[in-house]
Amino acid sequence: MAASERSLSSLRGALLDGLVIPAHPLALTAARRLDECRQVGLTRYYCDAGAGGIAVGVHTTQFAIRDRSVGLLEPVLDLASRTVRDWCRDRPAPLLIAGVCGPTPQALAEAGLAVATGYDAALLSLSALRDADNASLIDHCRAVADVIPVIGFYLQPAVGGRVLDRAFWRRFLDIERVVAIKVAPFDRYRTLDVVTALVESGRRDVALYTGNDDAIVADLLTGFGAGDQPPVHFAGGLLGQWAVWTHRAVELLRQCQAARAGTTGAGAGPLDLLSIGADLTDANAAIFDPAHGFAGCIPGIHEVLRRQGLLAGRWCLDPHEDLSPGQDAAIDRVLTRYPHLADDAFVLEHREGWGK
């Protein structure tokens, strides 16, 4: 089924089943131009690694692709969509999620572009509406949802997001074409605001997706109280962290789902998974660079992919954006300490077929 032909009910069903959705990076040459071959290779990697969705045009893809001088938003969205359709011609294709941002006119234009290029849903950032009240935010979200199904996005304020209170999320959940919420405030209180709003809404057709890179496994294992109703769970994750080691991420999600269901057998139990979660948080600290306000997060992702041979370098559109002091050594440390988190063998086995 082509992405643009996917029904709203099948979209909801896939999201509720629980998916690994990596946030797709941008492959560049040393001249900081699109490296189309490696961009295609990355998309093929995510497909073969078992990702159930791919998010394009989001933070990890670099927001500067929207700049007129860069002009890469439409080419990158279209390239990922065509690659998924071609590569997955004889098997189920991952969902395609387009990042949508900006004031309402820009967001509507980007939503229309996402539909035209075959995307299933929009991950809607509200960072540009920093001073808007809840009523204005809801009007904005509703307008975008009229164009394309929407995944809400609670982005942490430390990297450009804004505080979105429980009252906002409760009203947001009254929008019929909301299909999921990515919860990424890196704050347990604000995470609970979203979960509580979902419980109070009574909706069970909206999936929660963790974007809390510092609490991935904790989010996936936790059942949040819903009174006399079954607990609410995070179905999966839409994560920059899952742009690397994606094959292992798919295994981790399956293990967490089995632990929640009490069907682990000889697999990892909840306590073992929480230990793996602590390892993953430590690795994420090296890759995403919270020690320097996340300044090196995109170069950090690129560096891991470069070491695996999936990118030629860690170049970003901004020539001044690179690893922070000490970050390279931090990545060395976690790669040595946590080899069980990486999927190097899987990449090495398949990389040649993905192209360079």
Side-chain angles (χ1 to χ4, degrees):
M1 178 183 294
S4 59
E5 298 172 359
R6 203 184 309 267
S7 71
L8 187 61
S9 61
S10 67
L11 172 60
R12 291 191 191 280
L15 288 165
L16 288 166
D17 283 345
L19 305 173
V20 166
I21 306 178
H24 202 308
L26 182 68
L28 296 174
T29 66
R32 302 183 197 278
R33 300 183 185 277
L34 178 64
D35 186 338
E36 186 168 321
C37 289
R38 289 187 182 271
Q39 189 76 5
V40 167
L42 274 180
T43 305
R44 291 172 173 175
Y45 159 55
Y46 297 134
C47 291
D48 287 359
I54 301 173
V56 187
V58 293
H59 173 252
T60 308
T61 325
Q62 302 181 51
F63 289 129
I65 61 174
R66 294 166 169 80
D67 294 350
R68 290 193 177 190
S69 60
V70 176
L72 283 178
L73 178 61
E74 182 171 358
V76 167
L77 287 176
D78 184 61
L79 181 60
S81 180
R82 287 188 287 111
T83 301
V84 167
R85 289 196 303 270
D86 292 344
W87 195 247
C88 300
R89 186 178 293 111
D90 301 319
R91 53 180 162 149
L95 300 181
L96 286 168
I97 313 298
V100 168
C101 63
T104 303
Q106 177 184 339
L108 290 175
E110 292 187 6
L113 175 61
V115 171
T117 48
Y119 281 71
D120 297 291
L123 179 67
L124 182 57
S125 170
L126 300 176
S127 298
L129 285 73
R130 182 166 300 279
D131 298 322
D133 60 17
N134 282 356
S136 299
L137 291 174
I138 294 300
D139 288 344
H140 174 85
C141 296
R142 196 179 300 277
V144 174
D146 286 342
V147 179
I148 188 171
V150 162
I151 297 174
F153 186 13
Y154 200 165
L155 174 66
Q156 60 165 319
V159 292
R162 54 162 292 169
V163 174
L164 297 165
D165 61 21
R166 187 176 303 180
F168 164 78
W169 290 111
R170 179 62 191 85
R171 293 184 63 185
F172 178 78
L173 284 156
D174 288 334
I175 300 172
E176 195 276 332
R177 278 164 56 91
V178 167
V179 293
I181 301 173
K182 172 179 174 175
V183 188
F186 284 44
D187 182 304
R188 302 318 286 171
Y189 299 109
R190 290 172 179 164
T191 294
L192 284 169
D193 281 340
V194 183
V195 176
T196 302
L198 179 60
V199 170
E200 291 175 350
S201 75
R203 292 189 68 168
R204 295 296 179 265
D205 61 345
V206 174
L208 290 177
Y209 271 69
T210 181
N212 290 320
D213 299 273
D214 61 344
I216 295 170
V217 173
D219 277 349
L220 292 174
L221 288 178
T222 300
F224 295 88
D228 58 355
Q229 301 296 315
V232 172
H233 291 93
F234 279 83
L238 198 170
L239 294 152
Q241 174 61 50
W242 283 354
V244 303
W245 309 332
T246 310
H247 190 250
R248 289 292 192 202
V250 172
E251 295 175 353
L252 179 62
L253 176 59
R254 289 173 181 160
Q255 289 176 313
C256 289
Q257 290 171 327
R260 272 194 342 230
T263 58
T264 56
L271 294 180
D272 297 322
L273 289 168
L274 286 171
S275 293
I276 294 171
D279 297 345
L280 188 56
T281 300
D282 190 21
N284 179 265
I287 298 168
F288 270 62
D289 194 33
H292 299 92
F294 302 93
C297 64
I298 294 176
I301 291 169
H302 290 182
E303 176 61 16
V304 174
L305 294 171
R306 184 197 68 79
R307 295 186 188 203
Q308 291 185 305
L310 291 168
L311 290 181
R314 59 175 184 255
W315 307 292
C316 297
L317 289 169
D318 180 352
H320 302 294
E321 191 169 359
D322 202 350
L323 296 179
S324 294
Q327 191 178 359
D328 197 37
I331 293 172
D332 285 340
R333 178 185 67 81
V334 298
L335 288 175
T336 300
R337 186 166 186 174
Y338 308 120
H340 56 283
L341 298 179
D343 61 358
D344 293 354
F346 172 79
V347 171
L348 185 61
E349 179 182 358
H350 298 281
R351 188 179 62 205
E352 184 175 344
W354 298 326
K356 291 185 178 181

